[in-house]
Amino acid sequence: MRPEKIISPCYGEVTEILVQNGEYVYEWEPLFVIKRDGTESEVAVGISGSLKKLYIKKGDKVSPATLLAEMEDDMIISGSD
């Protein structure tokens, strides 16, 4: 199975990384915080699974095309949609 790519939803600066490589992540759990125009936004995804690789670090500037991380979907339907 191919890893799921987590892409930045906006321009800004990464102010917090809330997960680590290998960590299990639940659906809609906050993964990162990105500050843009003075406002901080949490980044979350609608899948659960293991975080395989982080591509960013705190302080990095990101854009809507920036690859933040990859994770392996556990394919468990949780009903939290």
Side-chain angles (χ1 to χ4, degrees), residues 8-16 32-43 62:
S8 175
C10 59
Y11 290 93
E13 179 181 339
V14 178
T15 58
E16 290 185 66
F32 312 102
V33 178
I34 296 176
K35 185 175 183 177
R36 62 179 178 154
D37 301 327
T39 303
E40 291 188 329
S41 301
E42 291 182 341
V43 176
V62 296

Side-chain angles (χ1 to χ4, degrees), residues 17-21 23-25 29-32 51 54:
I17 297 176
L18 306 171
V19 292
Q20 299 177 12
N21 285 325
E23 188 173 339
Y24 187 84
V25 176
E29 178 180 350
L31 307 175
F32 312 102
L51 191 72
L54 286 171

Side-chain angles (χ1 to χ4, degrees), residues 48-66:
S48 57
S50 297
L51 191 72
K52 292 300 176 190
K53 183 164 177 68
L54 286 171
Y55 289 96
I56 56 165
K57 61 186 181 308
K58 187 174 177 179
D60 281 356
K61 303 283 190 227
V62 296
S63 69
T66 304

